[in-house]
Amino acid sequence: MYQVQQLIAGVWGAGGDAGRSTVRDPADGTPVSELPVASAAEVAAAVKAARSVFPGWARTAPAERSAALRRAADALEAAADQLAEAQTAEMGRPLGAARAGVEAGVATLRQYAELAAVRGGRALAGESDCIDLMVPQPRGVVAAITPWNDPVAVSCGLLGAALVTGNTVVYKPSERSPASGWLLARLLDEHLPSGVLSLVTGDGSVGAALAGQEVDVVAHVGSTATGRSIAAACARTGAKALLENGGSDPLIVDEDVDPRWAGQQAALGAFANSGQLCVAVERIYVLRSVAARFLGALVQQAEALRVGPGRDPLTELGPLVDRRHREQVDGQVRAAVADGARILVGGTVPDGPGAFYPATVLAECTDQMAVMRDETFGPVAPVMVVDSFDEALSRASYSPYGLAATVLTGSMSHAQRAWRELPVGTVKINSVFGGAPGGAAEPRGGSGQGFGYGPELLDELTAVKAVHIEAPGGDGGGRW
């Protein structure tokens, strides 16, 4: 049982006046974490404390801030098993995948430690006896509101980039994975000056209270509905909104690819982390000539997945985060069937404890169904058969979201068309996951705004100031 504590003004255990909440293991319903719910006054106190220590942290040499982040990355690496176990207990993620998420977080911290120390502005070509500079500076207080589905990796990105660029941070992890956030914050805090990092915990009301404070940036990864509420709050306060929201990522299967391989790729994209990934495959468009063989391969992959609790090393498909979320996923499946979709495998809530849901493949889906229109965030692969690559591109592009898309094709011309025409931030050709280190993209539409990863995130969390220096007493082109 994890007893989560808050960190406010450098004091662990502060606050909790608004009560406490319990998180249960989604595999069997046993309680695993207890967390305090921050009051509005406690949130305000955390922001006030972060504001008070900001000037000193901003003046700290970039190399010193980078060194602190490297030490934190080493500590995180040493505690990787503990952090992975917390993720598995709280949200059911298989232990191996949880460990990979921690490793990704460690790599991100180290990347930002290296990049930040050598970042600089630029000198401008002005008058020969003047100095003109463009200088990046930290923005101030960053509110970081992070999700439950990959809590360590995502948090390391936002926290690492904000801290190493000289901002102070008030961190609010998801109420569904508070112990993961608490353990991460403890490791980071050990290597930072007191007050530079604060941790507040609780439900969406705590996140809303934090987003409504007089902070300088609100960085959020999570649902589109929450992201839009944050954008509205930032419009009122003047804070910058940095948002990666939901997605409904399409997968296109062209007629010239191996259907069995395509089925493997689709299964990986739709069922990894039980479909609870921002860039999961949410809707599939397959060319008619390969549709039957592709569907057969996809069903075979779904049936072969080993289902069980995340702590079992053989588990490939763990439970969903909780029963409330399972009801939402199953509701979309049942609505699709009522509208004419056909279940090829899965689609039934299992008996027994926990929040398990089977890998599900739906055929004969249409654009009007919620499983093809909205974000399901579960192990569901809805499939639509199309007659041409043009039709596939058109249907894949018709979405309020714009996070990512994948195209499986042997045609270079189709690949070129896909990455140019699909209105999303990331296009992957012939692989549902992957990419070089340091990659970053801007989501579009309902999926958010601003860079949330890569070196560009350092730019998002700094503001550039123009500086012009002349000798006193000059005439606009003065001499020293």
Side-chain angles (χ1 to χ4, degrees):
M1 186 75 169
Y2 298 99
Q3 295 293 335
V4 174
Q5 295 178 310
Q6 296 190 122
L7 172 63
I8 299 174
V11 178
W12 281 104
D17 293 343
R20 300 188 72 82
S21 180
T22 300
V23 176
R24 297 182 177 275
D25 188 327
D28 56 22
T30 58
V32 294
S33 303
E34 188 177 76
L35 64 147
V37 178
S39 67
E42 290 161 5
V43 173
V47 172
K48 181 179 179 181
R51 181 73 65 194
S52 69
V53 301
F54 165 67
W57 183 239
R59 287 193 299 267
T60 302
E64 187 176 336
R65 296 197 299 257
S66 290
L69 207 63
R70 279 193 292 272
R71 292 192 297 270
D74 292 342
L76 191 65
E77 185 175 48
D81 289 339
Q82 183 184 19
L83 284 160
E85 288 163 4
Q87 289 183 65
T88 297
E90 291 187 315
M91 51 79 62
R93 192 177 194 184
L95 202 54
R99 177 66 186 255
V102 177
E103 291 170 354
V106 171
T108 298
L109 293 181
R110 288 178 174 155
Q111 177 191 65
Y112 287 146
E114 295 303 316
L115 291 173
V118 297
R119 281 179 81 243
R122 60 189 176 96
L124 303 177
E127 297 290 338
S128 61
D129 51 1
C130 299
I131 299 173
D132 289 271
L133 305 171
M134 301 287 286
V135 183
Q137 294 183 307
R139 288 185 174 270
V141 178
V142 174
I145 302 173
T146 61
W148 50 264
N149 61 309
D150 197 0
V152 175
V154 173
S155 296
C156 282
L158 295 182
L159 299 182
L163 292 167
V164 81
T165 48
N167 300 282
T168 54
V169 176
V170 181
Y171 171 39
K172 192 271 178 191
S174 171
E175 65 273 22
R176 284 168 157 164
S177 57
S180 300
W182 168 62
L183 292 170
L184 173 61
R186 289 189 69 91
L187 292 167
L188 291 170
D189 179 57
E190 290 175 0
H191 303 282
L192 297 168
S194 178
V196 167
L197 175 66
S198 292
L199 173 73
V200 294
T201 57
D203 58 14
S205 65
V206 178
L210 178 56
Q213 287 288 316
E214 295 292 331
V215 297
D216 300 286
V217 180
V218 182
H220 167 258
V221 177
S223 73
T224 295
T226 301
R228 285 175 172 162
S229 296
I230 288 171
C234 290
R236 292 190 294 271
T237 64
K240 176 177 181 175
L242 184 60
L243 308 172
E244 189 203 278
N245 299 333
S248 182
D249 292 1
L251 169 69
I252 295 174
V253 181
D254 208 349
E255 60 187 354
D256 58 356
V257 299
D258 177 0
R260 186 173 184 82
W261 167 76
Q264 293 169 346
Q265 285 288 309
L268 176 61
F271 305 141
N273 202 29
S274 298
Q276 300 170 127
L277 291 172
C278 300
V279 290
V281 168
E282 295 271 348
R283 49 198 171 106
I284 300 170
Y285 304 92
V286 57
L287 272 290
R288 191 172 299 278
S289 61
V290 293
R293 288 175 292 163
F294 166 78
L295 283 167
L298 179 54
V299 168
Q300 186 178 40
Q301 290 289 318
E303 291 174 332
L305 289 171
R306 291 182 292 238
V307 180
R311 57 184 174 271
D312 184 338
L314 297 179
T315 292
E316 295 172 302
L317 188 74
L320 295 175
V321 66
D322 57 31
R323 289 196 169 200
R324 175 165 58 95
H325 183 54
R326 183 174 69 176
E327 289 176 3
Q328 295 171 350
V329 171
D330 186 55
Q332 283 199 8
V333 171
R334 287 186 284 106
V337 172
D339 287 340
R342 184 162 55 93
I343 296 176
L344 301 186
V345 65
T348 302
V349 175
D351 296 329
F356 291 94
Y357 197 79
T360 299
V361 178
L362 298 174
E364 300 173 24
C365 295
T366 66
D367 291 325
Q368 290 71 39
M369 296 174 181
V371 290
M372 296 292 284
R373 186 183 67 246
D374 300 331
E375 183 177 44
T376 304
F377 223 60
V380 179
V383 181
M384 180 186 295
V385 178
V386 296
D387 292 315
S388 68
F389 190 76
D390 283 349
E391 182 186 355
L393 272 183
S394 176
R395 292 186 183 277
S397 300
Y398 185 69
S399 173
Y401 298 99
L403 194 57
T406 304
V407 178
L408 307 180
T409 181
S411 166
M412 181 59 75
S413 64
H414 284 180
Q416 291 277 11
R417 282 192 60 198
W419 76 256
R420 292 180 188 279
E421 296 178 19
L422 287 167
V424 298
T426 300
V427 177
K428 296 162 285 184
I429 306 295
N430 293 331
S431 179
V432 292
F433 298 129
E442 292 186 275
R444 303 183 186 186
S447 292
Q449 60 191 38
F451 287 98
Y453 302 93
E456 288 80 3
L457 180 54
L458 301 175
D459 297 331
E460 295 279 7
L461 293 166
T462 53
V464 174
K465 180 177 289 183
V467 181
H468 174 75
I469 303 174
E470 286 191 24
D475 57 1
R479 298 279 186 263
W480 285 103

